[in-house]
């Protein structure tokens, strides 16, 4: 598995997300490392499935070999900021928290901040951003912020703007201090908006090159051309990040001193170079059809381009790429209206990020920012146009529909390889465990409710549906990880649409979340259609088991509990559900009616269906009578409703203990009313399979998901399994395999009843003792719903 490099100065930079040992040395999470681009390409160009990479540890310079699974790529400027933080643990916290890091990337001289000194915060102004000590042997120098302290912070500093004899800015003695970004709070305000945080020198004329300008520069006495991607300062020197013409749009950027770059009077067709073979200095190859900046219909009559439009873009040397517009708007320092495009192939240069800010999200090297006028409708999805088509009125032309991207659920080995590990699953944040566990259970390894992601329901809120599909389910199935902010985005929408202010921070129950999103927002049909006491219309999304305490049910299974509940309240299923979500009997979150509940891997609902043929529990013939009294009789098997053919019913109820029973007559479908004497026509059984279990302990929800056909194929998910840092830290979601569950599923009931929860292996105790909600599916019915 190769990693996309974060290119900049000829090196690729990474941060370790987990600790690793190399020889006698241990490198903790948060350690920074790098490798040369040449080394990276040599490792992965011919061996895309390579698992190891030789890197240089930036903190102490040693060369080690690490597994790529623990490497997270970072840009050079990000690595430089992180390197300024001394402790790897705090460094990793700052990298994953992101907010402060993104603010630091856009901060510049003159910006007001507050700084932390000896656990107190004081006001100040940034006067310098850059390195303050450079080693000729170091691959990268750390970046610090030089701050002039003001107000209460005066005389709390350690310098006058100088460090080790070098002056970086001027201020009063004792008012200057150099700090990493983690010790700084960047104050938001109009003057600090991304578009206004351009790196500047003393005068505007001092920066002759702007982002997007075409430039020329010399490399080994050879004149090269390119596009300025960024302009920034390190210490007292300014640099320009250039994407060279000859290296195309997917290769390596060069960072060149500003005084070595010459601005050309060339406006790029796109933010990324689109040089053709006949493009000369000062001329740009433009498409014949010019789309308006607003995306209105062009001269050729094509429909206006908008978010989710499928487009094609001509790159260098006439090469074309195809993709989908994910964002439209204006970028800092760019006057033209731009389009953020997610490409079909790895021919981009970003993951939706521009100058440290994300405008959309996609896989690395799939994102591209271009002028909107450079995009044209994807010809692959347009019908052929005859010469007489111009006679058709514009109003009669229909915009081509956009098919949402989808990823299939993960099963078997795919589920293990994608989902297992730390920082896997859905990241929990601020009491979100109820939602995290429910979403992971419903979408990681099954497609039974994928209609929620695509079907245009009557009440469907498109925004919520798109967030659910694009920000949660697709990333979960593609990469195995969903960031906490994606779930918070959904929670914010639920708060707005559900008119409930507590969805973003309060503890909730899974059924409350599921009912809100399914019923009130997406407007899907109820999953269960019930009849009770002969009255229909009792539809619901989750079924709550209600029952009195049964002394004879010591360690029940789900089949028994469902049957008891249906029989007690005279309920029947009007039709076979595609998904059957069942809440276990309990009173509140503390009191559990049963100390253990055995998961029924299959739920037989044949006898729970209204007007379905039933089988006599004695002789196997078609049943015509049902008896609730016999259901409670210990002489019969503990599971299964008790129904009989007329002959067996007479015999069973001839016993003096059952003469008071009052069997009720069943409806027998016409095709089953005439059967052969031998009973060769068997009653079909309708069974549903278990695919997930939600559990709760001390108000915290986790889930078990069945990812394969064997009893051992279970995985355990906890969105808050571990935590990095304190109140400003983050939760670490974890997915682990738990094959030990099979051991207890195979135990005889009497043996399982005697098992002490504290002695059960692994996490099996939580499945058997803390079950809150069981989820079953009928794959047959899912095809029709």
């Amino acid at each position: 598995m190769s990693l996309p490099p974060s290119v900049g100065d000829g090196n690729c930079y990474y941060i370790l997300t987990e600790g690793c040992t190399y020889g006698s040395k241990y490198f903790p999470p948060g350690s920074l490392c790098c490798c040369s681009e040449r080394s990276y390409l040599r490792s992965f160009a011919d061996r895309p499935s390579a698992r190891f990479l030789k890197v240089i540890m930036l903190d102490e310079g040693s060369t080690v070999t690490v597994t790529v699974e623990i490497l997270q790529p970072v840009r050079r400027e990000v690595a430089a900021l992180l390197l300024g933080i001394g402790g790897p643990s705090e460094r990793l916290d700052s990298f994953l928290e992101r907010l402060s890091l993104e603010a630091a990337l856009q901060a510049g001289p003159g910006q007001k901040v507050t700084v932390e000194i000896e656990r107190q915060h004081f006001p100040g102004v940034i006067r310098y951003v850059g390195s303050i000590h450079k080693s000729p042997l170091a691959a990268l120098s750390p970046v610090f912020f030089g701050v002039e302290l003001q107000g209460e912070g005066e005389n709390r500093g350690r310098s006058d703007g100088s460090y080790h004899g070098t002056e970086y800015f001027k201020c009063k003695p004792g008012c200057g201090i150099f700090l990493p970004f983690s010790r700084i709070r960047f104050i938001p305000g109009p003057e600090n908006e991304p578009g206004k945080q351009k790196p500047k020198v003393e005068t505007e004329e001092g920066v002759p090159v702007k982002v997007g300008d075409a430039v020329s520069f010399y490399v080994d006495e050879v004149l090269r051309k390119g596009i300025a991607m960024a302009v920034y300062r390190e210490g007292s020197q300014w640099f320009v990040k250039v994407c060279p013409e000859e290296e195309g749009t997917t290769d390596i950027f060069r960072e060149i001193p500003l005084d070595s770059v010459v601005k050309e009077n060339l406006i790029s067709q796109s933010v990324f170079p689109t040089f053709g073979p006949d493009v000369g200095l000062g001329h740009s190859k433009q498409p014949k059809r010019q789309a308006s900046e607003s995306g209105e219909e062009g001269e050729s009559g094509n429909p206006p381009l908008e978010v989710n439009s499928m487009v094609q873009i001509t790159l260098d040397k006439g090469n074309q790429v195809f993709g989908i517009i994910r964002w439209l708007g204006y970028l800092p320092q760019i006057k033209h209206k731009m389009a953020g495009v997610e490409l079909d192939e790895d021919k981009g240069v970003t993951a939706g990020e521009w100058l440290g800010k994300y405008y959309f999200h996609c896989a690395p090297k799939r994102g591209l920012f271009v002028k909107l006028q450079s995009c044209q409708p994807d010809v692959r999805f347009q019908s052929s146009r005859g010469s007489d088509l111009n006679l058709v009125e514009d109003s009669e032309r229909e915009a081509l529909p956009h098919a949402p991207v989808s990823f299939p659920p993960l099963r078997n080995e795919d589920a293990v390889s994608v989902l297992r590990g730390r920082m896997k699953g859905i990241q929990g944040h601020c009491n979100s465990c109820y939602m995290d566990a429910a979403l992971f259970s419903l979408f990681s390894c099954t497609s039974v409710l994928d209609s929620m992601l695509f079907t245009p329901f009557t009440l469907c809120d498109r925004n919520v549906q798109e967030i659910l599909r694009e920000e949660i389910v697709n990333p979960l199935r593609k990469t195995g990880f969903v960031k906490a902010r994606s779930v918070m985005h959904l929670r914010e929408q639920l708060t707005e649409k559900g008119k409930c202010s507590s969805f973003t921070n309060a503890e909730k129950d899974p059924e409350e979340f599921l009912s809100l999103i399914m019923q009130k927002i997406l407007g899907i049909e109820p999953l269960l259609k019930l009849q009770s006491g002969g009255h229909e219309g009792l539809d619901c999304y989750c079924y709550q088991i209600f029952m009195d305490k049964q002394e004879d049910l010591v360690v029940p299974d789900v089949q028994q509990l469902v049957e008891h509940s249906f029989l007690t309240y005279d309920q029947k299923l009007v039709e076979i559900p595609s998904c059957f979500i069942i809440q276990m009997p309990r009173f509140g979150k503390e009191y559990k009616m049963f100390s253990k509940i055995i998961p029924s891997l299959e739920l037989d609902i044949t006898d729970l269906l209204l007007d379905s043929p039933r089988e006599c529990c004695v002789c196997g013939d078609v049943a015509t009578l049902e008896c609730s009294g016999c259901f409670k009789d210990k002489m019969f098997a503990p599971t299964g409703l008790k129904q009989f053919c007329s002959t067996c019913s007479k015999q069973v109820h001839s016993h003096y203990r059952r003469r008071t029973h009052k069997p009720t007559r069943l409806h027998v479908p016409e095709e089953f009313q005439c059967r052969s004497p031998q009973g060769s026509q068997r009653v079909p059984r309708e069974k549903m399979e278990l695919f997930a279990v939600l559990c709760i302990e001390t108000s915290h929800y986790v889930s078990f998901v069945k990812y394969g056909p064997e009893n051992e194929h279970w995985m355990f998910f906890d969105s808050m399994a571990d935590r990095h840092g304190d109140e400003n830290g983050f939760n670490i979601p974890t997915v682990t395999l738990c094959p030990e569950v099979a051991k207890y599923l195979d135990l005889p009931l009497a043996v399982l009843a005697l098992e002490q929860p504290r002695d059960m292996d692994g996490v099996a105790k939580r499945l058997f003792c803390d079950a809150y909600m069981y989820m079953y599916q009928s794959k047959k019915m899912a095809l029709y719903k």
Side-chain angles (χ1 to χ4, degrees):
M1 180 183 69
S2 62
L3 290 172
S6 297
V7 296
D9 55 359
N11 289 326
C12 310
Y13 294 92
Y14 304 95
I15 186 170
L16 269 63
T17 58
E18 297 182 23
C20 72
T21 302
Y22 188 77
S24 61
K25 294 183 178 180
Y26 174 73
F27 301 96
S31 300
L32 287 165
C33 59
C34 73
C35 70
S36 67
E37 294 161 357
R38 181 178 300 176
S39 174
Y40 173 88
L41 294 173
R42 186 167 56 245
S43 298
F44 294 109
D46 299 326
R47 295 178 294 135
S49 61
R51 307 287 298 178
F52 298 95
L53 184 66
K54 183 176 289 186
V55 298
I56 300 172
M57 305 306 296
L58 296 182
D59 290 303
E60 47 97 72
S62 60
T63 300
V64 303
T65 300
V66 299
T67 173
V68 297
E69 294 178 352
I70 66 171
L71 294 178
Q72 175 67 37
V74 295
R75 303 197 316 274
R76 180 184 183 277
E77 52 268 35
V78 172
L81 284 170
L82 292 171
L83 196 58
I85 302 174
S89 176
E90 182 185 356
R91 188 183 294 161
L92 185 59
D93 284 348
S94 299
F95 171 71
L96 294 171
E97 192 272 332
R98 298 299 297 179
L99 294 178
S100 179
L101 178 57
E102 291 180 6
L105 287 167
Q106 301 188 35
Q111 181 172 339
K112 294 181 180 180
V113 295
T114 61
V115 301
E116 180 186 346
I117 303 175
E118 296 177 351
R119 299 187 179 180
Q120 295 183 335
H121 292 85
F122 301 101
V125 177
I126 296 174
R127 297 302 185 195
Y128 170 79
V129 182
S131 59
I132 54 177
H133 54 81
K134 295 185 178 180
S135 169
L137 300 178
L140 182 67
S141 297
V143 167
F144 294 90
F145 287 78
V147 178
E148 179 184 358
L149 298 171
Q150 297 181 338
E152 298 177 355
E154 292 188 2
N155 298 319
R156 298 269 186 170
R158 304 184 181 94
S159 77
D160 60 355
S162 300
Y163 184 81
H164 284 190
T166 301
E167 183 181 279
Y168 294 95
F169 64 95
K170 291 182 179 180
C171 68
K172 298 177 185 178
C175 291
I177 191 169
F178 294 90
L179 296 167
F181 77 93
S182 60
R183 302 269 301 279
I184 299 174
R185 292 183 181 177
F186 300 91
I187 301 173
E191 71 277 8
N192 298 331
E193 292 177 359
K196 298 185 179 181
Q197 293 176 2
K198 307 174 188 178
K200 296 183 179 180
V201 290
E202 281 65 28
T203 62
E204 185 68 27
E205 292 78 16
V207 184
V209 177
K210 300 289 187 284
V211 174
D213 288 345
V215 296
S216 295
F217 57 96
Y218 281 91
V219 176
D220 298 328
E221 299 183 355
V222 178
L223 182 66
R224 304 289 177 88
K225 302 173 188 176
I227 296 296
M229 307 300 299
V231 182
Y232 63 95
R233 185 171 68 180
E234 271 198 10
S236 59
Q237 189 171 6
W238 286 83
F239 291 87
V240 182
K241 180 182 287 187
V242 179
C243 185
E245 168 187 351
E246 75 279 1
E247 292 172 2
T249 62
T250 64
D251 214 324
I252 299 167
F253 296 149
R254 293 184 181 273
E255 298 188 352
I256 305 168
L258 179 62
D259 54 11
S260 300
V261 174
V262 179
K263 177 180 177 182
E264 302 291 345
N265 296 322
L266 174 64
I267 303 299
S268 170
Q269 174 181 331
S270 74
V271 173
F272 300 99
T274 56
F275 301 98
D278 57 347
V279 177
L281 189 63
H283 301 279
S284 177
K285 189 176 182 180
Q286 297 287 344
K288 293 183 179 180
R289 182 187 71 83
Q290 294 289 339
S292 69
E293 289 287 341
S294 62
E296 295 177 355
E297 191 173 50
E299 294 177 2
S300 65
N302 285 320
L305 297 178
E306 55 189 16
V307 173
N308 289 333
S309 291
M310 293 181 285
V311 296
Q312 62 185 43
I313 304 162
T314 302
L315 295 179
D316 56 319
K317 299 178 177 57
N319 295 325
Q320 284 192 330
V321 292
F322 302 89
I324 300 173
I325 294 178
R326 295 301 188 193
W327 173 86
L328 290 173
Y330 293 89
L331 293 169
Q333 307 176 5
I334 304 293
K335 66 180 181 179
H336 302 282
K337 190 170 186 179
M338 308 299 295
V341 182
E342 180 179 0
L343 302 178
D344 295 346
E345 303 175 82
D346 292 344
K347 293 186 177 180
V349 294
T350 178
E353 181 184 23
W354 172 256
L355 294 182
K357 179 180 178 181
Y358 279 92
Y359 291 85
F360 66 97
H361 294 274
C362 66
K365 304 201 81 171
R366 286 290 182 100
L368 192 69
F369 288 97
V370 297
K371 288 182 183 179
L372 179 57
Q373 68 185 40
S374 300
C375 299
Q376 299 182 56
D378 191 335
V379 296
R380 299 175 301 172
F381 298 95
Q382 288 186 304
S383 57
S384 59
R385 296 174 177 265
S387 58
D388 58 341
L389 190 59
N390 293 328
L391 301 176
V392 181
E393 294 294 330
D394 290 347
S395 59
E396 294 180 1
R397 299 191 183 116
E398 296 182 355
L400 292 172
H402 164 64
V405 178
S406 65
F407 293 89
L410 300 163
R411 298 291 295 171
N412 302 311
E413 290 305 315
D414 288 340
V416 174
S417 62
V418 175
L419 292 173
R420 181 174 60 172
R422 284 168 59 86
M423 290 302 285
K424 289 291 187 177
I426 302 174
Q427 187 178 30
H429 175 67
C430 194
N431 297 318
S432 68
C433 61
Y434 69 94
M435 190 178 296
D436 307 327
L439 290 172
F440 187 86
S441 298
L442 288 174
F443 295 108
S444 60
C445 299
T446 179
S447 61
V448 65
L449 287 182
D450 273 16
S451 59
M452 291 174 60
L453 309 177
F454 304 100
T455 306
F457 301 109
T458 305
L459 302 177
C460 182
D461 186 289
R462 292 294 181 192
N463 194 30
V464 171
Q465 189 179 54
E466 184 172 333
I467 292 171
L468 184 62
R469 180 182 66 245
E470 302 296 339
E471 297 188 29
I472 297 177
V473 178
N474 281 352
L476 178 63
R477 293 175 175 177
K478 183 179 181 182
T479 68
F481 178 68
V482 178
K483 299 178 181 177
R485 65 184 177 189
S486 296
V487 179
M488 181 57 73
H489 194 189
L490 177 62
R491 295 169 76 183
E492 290 168 350
Q493 288 295 310
L494 296 180
T495 297
E496 177 182 340
K497 308 299 180 183
K499 296 181 174 58
C500 175
S501 60
S502 60
F503 258 101
T504 56
N505 51 32
E507 293 182 5
K508 299 285 184 182
D509 291 322
E511 66 272 16
E512 185 177 357
F513 159 60
L514 294 175
S515 294
L516 173 65
I517 193 171
M518 290 181 182
Q519 181 179 11
K520 295 184 179 180
I521 297 179
L522 296 182
I524 70 174
E525 289 187 8
L527 300 179
L528 299 178
K529 296 184 178 181
L530 298 171
Q531 181 189 89
S532 180
H535 302 286
E536 294 189 15
L538 303 177
D539 302 338
C540 60
Y541 297 87
C542 303
Y543 180 78
Q544 172 68 66
I545 290 180
F546 291 104
M547 59 184 297
D548 297 327
K549 182 67 174 179
Q550 304 289 325
E551 297 297 335
D552 55 326
L553 289 179
V554 180
V555 184
D557 59 24
V558 178
Q559 181 79 43
Q560 290 174 297
L561 296 177
V562 172
E563 291 174 349
H564 272 274
S565 183
F566 267 69
L567 189 65
T568 301
Y569 293 94
D570 190 19
Q571 294 173 330
K572 294 293 181 184
L573 290 169
V574 176
E575 62 183 26
I576 302 172
S578 60
C579 183
F580 196 173
I581 301 176
I582 307 168
Q583 293 173 244
M584 293 297 99
R586 62 193 304 138
F587 295 98
K589 297 178 182 178
E590 304 299 330
Y591 177 72
K592 294 182 288 188
M593 185 174 288
F594 301 98
S595 60
K596 294 191 191 79
I597 297 176
I598 303 174
S600 299
L601 298 182
E602 284 189 330
L603 185 67
D604 192 332
I605 62 170
T606 308
D607 298 340
L608 306 180
L609 291 168
L610 179 68
D611 297 338
S612 173
R614 309 272 287 278
E615 186 178 273
C616 175
C617 63
V618 177
C619 70
D621 204 346
V622 174
T624 57
L625 296 163
E626 181 181 64
C627 182
S628 59
C630 290
F631 179 77
K632 302 172 184 178
D633 194 321
K634 295 182 181 180
M635 293 296 296
F636 293 96
T639 58
L641 299 184
K642 302 304 177 281
Q643 58 265 338
F644 310 95
C645 64
S646 55
T647 302
C648 292
S649 179
K650 290 178 182 178
Q651 184 176 355
V652 167
H653 291 101
S654 65
H655 193 283
Y656 71 94
R657 291 181 180 176
R658 306 188 192 100
R659 289 174 183 171
T660 58
H661 291 185
K662 297 180 180 180
T664 57
R665 186 158 296 277
L666 297 173
H667 175 269
V668 180
E670 184 176 350
E671 59 270 28
F672 284 87
Q673 290 180 1
C674 299
R675 298 189 60 180
S676 62
Q678 294 77 19
S680 59
Q681 185 181 6
R682 296 184 60 84
V683 173
R685 310 302 298 181
E686 295 293 345
K687 296 182 180 181
M688 305 186 73
E689 67 178 49
L690 179 66
F691 68 86
V693 183
L694 268 67
C695 300
I696 183 173
E697 184 179 30
T698 60
S699 300
H700 179 61
Y701 289 96
V702 296
S703 67
F704 290 82
V705 173
K706 201 165 190 299
Y707 65 88
E710 304 300 328
N711 282 1
E712 295 83 4
H713 290 170
W714 285 90
M715 55 177 52
F716 174 72
F717 165 64
D718 186 347
S719 66
M720 304 178 184
D722 199 359
R723 185 165 181 83
H724 199 87
D726 49 21
E727 59 180 326
N728 295 320
F730 58 91
N731 290 310
I732 300 176
T734 303
V735 178
T736 56
L737 302 186
C738 46
E740 67 271 13
V741 167
K743 167 185 173 181
Y744 299 98
L745 290 173
D746 296 335
L747 285 180
L749 178 60
V751 177
L752 181 59
L754 296 175
E755 278 285 338
Q756 294 298 318
R758 64 177 179 271
D759 297 330
M760 299 179 81
D761 296 341
V763 293
K765 172 258 179 187
R766 306 192 71 172
L767 176 63
F768 287 88
C769 302
D770 300 329
Y772 181 87
M773 180 180 283
Y774 284 82
M775 297 180 173
Y776 289 86
Q777 64 179 346
S778 169
K779 293 184 177 179
K780 175 178 68 176
M781 296 307 299
L783 298 174
Y784 304 99
K785 297 187 177 183

